[in-house]
Amino acid sequence: MSRSRFDTVQDVPTSRKRKKSNRWLSVLFALLIILVSLGAVVYYKTFGPNTGSFKTGEYLYIYTGDNYQDLLSTLEREGFVKDIVSFNLLAKQANLPNHVKAGRYKIQHGENNYDLIRQLRSGKQAPVNIVINKVRTKQELAGIIGRNLEADSALFLEQISNPEYLSEFDLDSNTLLTAIIPDTYEFYWNTSADRAFRRLEIYKHKFWNADRLVKAAQKKLSPEKVSIIASIVEEETNNNEEKPLIASVYMNRVRYGMKLQADPTVKFAVGDFTLRRILDIHLNHDSPYNTYMYFGYPPGPICTPSKTSIDAVLNAPETKYLYFCAKEDFSGSHSFASSYKQHLDNASKYHKALNERGIK
């Protein structure tokens, strides 16, 4: 059956409508692709890795008083963030500019903006472990604090040199180092000088538990006196087995009214810890720390004694030893004596060995 003229005419608008509809679908599809792409970019910028080359290491330091612009400059300058623009946009949305917190932060490789901002906003720092071993002077202690914490070493030194400040802890310039127990301490990097010292003091009181206090009292010693004796023992030997015996020698000498005559105290008095032999010029140096010149214990410790040395004093046995001398074999061990004659024999052997080796 043949189609009429009217059927043919009606087909034209329908075809045009279909073409127009297809064009709109194409436009919508293109817009959808663009939106999806933009969404993917935004998602990647937010949740994709954005940490950079870490030019100065993996730790980000935000100093006390730094503002948000200081933080942005550090992140970009030190290479912590690759795309600072995307970080800044998200950081402002998260209100990070009003929550910048000083500290030391460990930045992970491959970290995204969201996680980095959350870490900085929460102030979740990476703690600093400070190892304090043998310290002989307050300057050394201040140096350790200054090298590891934001606190300035000069400020810390000024603080622990202030008699009024020390009196708060029942300390003075001589007994200062009794407050320090060698150990590994955990600090936040932005800990102030005052809080750092108080942290050390708190640890000291925990160390001096009831058991140690009872042992000290039984020997009629204060914790400070124990630390002073232990500091001399610490400098005399690294042989932990002999430390209690050496401690007993010094306590016996004081008990019998003798001078300690401890060589390490002379080194401390003259300020030369490298001395291998103590000569008359050193023995004549006038100082309350020169135990060849003055009776009794020195007014303060000559170093920060280890826990082992402190416990060696507390657990020192009852002996009759009044003398000891390094053995001539340079093994680090000592020959102990109850009489001066026996001591002279031991000392003669040691000095002969020194001369044969050319040690002056």
Side-chain angles (χ1 to χ4, degrees):
M1 179 178 178
S2 61
R3 298 174 62 186
S4 68
R5 180 173 59 86
F6 296 102
D7 293 335
T8 304
V9 172
Q10 289 174 356
D11 284 346
V12 174
T14 301
S15 176
R16 288 177 180 174
K17 287 180 180 179
R18 288 174 179 172
K19 290 180 179 179
K20 189 174 183 179
S21 176
N22 289 337
R23 282 198 299 271
W24 276 110
L25 287 173
S26 298
V27 171
L28 289 173
F29 183 74
L31 288 173
L32 181 62
I33 293 297
I34 293 173
L35 289 174
V36 170
S37 299
L38 287 174
V41 170
V42 171
Y43 181 89
Y44 183 81
K45 291 290 187 181
T46 303
F47 298 102
N50 193 33
T51 49
S53 59
F54 300 177
K55 295 177 182 178
T56 56
E58 60 187 352
Y59 291 102
L60 165 68
Y61 293 88
I62 303 177
Y63 289 82
T64 299
D66 278 3
N67 58 31
Y68 179 63
Q69 288 304 317
D70 296 322
L71 171 60
L72 287 181
S73 298
T74 301
L75 288 172
E76 189 170 25
R77 182 182 65 252
E78 306 300 340
F80 286 108
V81 170
K82 291 184 287 188
D83 182 3
I84 198 67
V85 174
S86 65
F87 175 88
N88 183 37
L89 289 173
L90 188 59
K92 287 182 176 179
Q93 291 179 7
N95 200 23
L96 179 60
N98 293 321
H99 293 85
V100 175
K101 298 177 181 178
R104 172 181 180 262
Y105 300 89
K106 185 174 183 179
I107 309 303
Q108 304 291 340
H109 285 280
E111 199 167 357
N112 59 47
N113 285 331
Y114 177 78
D115 289 336
L116 179 55
I117 291 167
R118 184 173 59 178
Q119 178 187 4
L120 298 179
R121 197 178 188 280
S122 68
K124 188 177 181 180
Q125 296 189 48
V128 178
N129 288 325
I130 299 182
V131 179
I132 298 180
N133 290 318
K134 185 190 294 183
V135 175
R136 293 188 175 99
T137 66
K138 60 185 179 182
Q139 288 80 6
E140 283 186 54
L141 178 62
I144 292 172
I145 296 299
R147 286 192 298 273
N148 290 279
L149 301 181
E150 183 185 21
D152 181 65
S153 60
L155 176 61
F156 186 85
L157 181 59
E158 180 183 352
Q159 173 183 279
I160 61 176
S161 299
N162 186 330
E164 291 185 10
Y165 182 80
L166 292 178
S167 66
E168 183 181 343
F169 308 97
D170 294 323
L171 298 170
D172 57 36
S173 59
N174 289 310
T175 59
L176 166 65
L177 292 185
T178 64
I180 314 301
I181 305 297
D183 207 331
T184 299
Y185 293 85
E186 185 176 274
F187 289 92
Y188 285 123
W189 173 76
N190 59 321
T191 300
S192 68
D194 175 57
R195 287 172 57 196
F197 186 76
R198 291 181 187 276
R199 169 80 175 81
L200 297 172
E201 253 283 317
I202 290 172
Y203 186 86
K204 180 195 78 171
H205 288 292
K206 289 182 178 179
F207 171 79
W208 280 101
N209 54 29
D211 181 56
R212 288 190 172 96
L213 290 173
V214 167
K215 288 181 178 180
Q218 289 173 343
K219 292 187 179 297
K220 298 181 181 180
L221 296 171
S222 66
E224 289 72 27
K225 278 290 191 292
V226 172
S227 292
I228 291 171
I229 301 169
S231 71
I232 302 174
V233 173
E234 181 77 22
E235 291 280 51
E236 286 284 12
T237 185
N238 292 321
N239 188 331
N240 289 332
E241 292 183 1
E242 288 190 349
K243 285 181 177 181
L245 292 177
I246 293 176
S248 75
V249 169
Y250 287 129
M251 287 188 282
N252 285 341
R253 286 185 182 179
V254 170
R255 188 178 299 120
Y256 295 136
M258 299 171 61
K259 291 179 181 177
L260 289 184
Q261 295 185 330
D263 288 359
T265 67
V266 179
K267 295 179 183 180
F268 184 88
V270 300
D272 186 351
F273 305 107
T274 65
L275 290 176
R276 297 293 298 274
R277 299 184 73 168
I278 304 299
L279 306 176
D280 287 343
I281 190 173
H282 305 128
L283 297 178
N284 291 325
H285 182 82
D286 193 357
S287 167
Y289 285 88
N290 185 348
T291 57
Y292 277 85
M293 185 173 289
Y294 292 95
F295 286 91
Y297 300 116
I302 59 174
C303 71
T304 52
S306 65
K307 296 177 184 178
T308 301
S309 294
I310 292 174
D311 286 336
V313 175
L314 294 174
N315 297 301
E318 294 292 332
T319 70
K320 294 183 179 181
Y321 293 138
L322 293 173
Y323 309 95
F324 66 92
C325 177
K327 287 185 176 180
E328 66 277 11
D329 60 2
F330 297 96
S331 62
S333 298
H334 294 81
S335 299
F336 293 86
S338 301
S339 69
Y340 188 58
K341 181 180 181 304
Q342 183 183 1
H343 173 63
L344 288 179
D345 290 341
N346 294 334
S348 176
K349 294 176 184 177
Y350 178 64
H351 286 292
K352 180 181 177 182
L354 286 176
N355 292 329
E356 288 176 350
R357 295 196 179 196
I359 299 175
K360 298 181 179 180

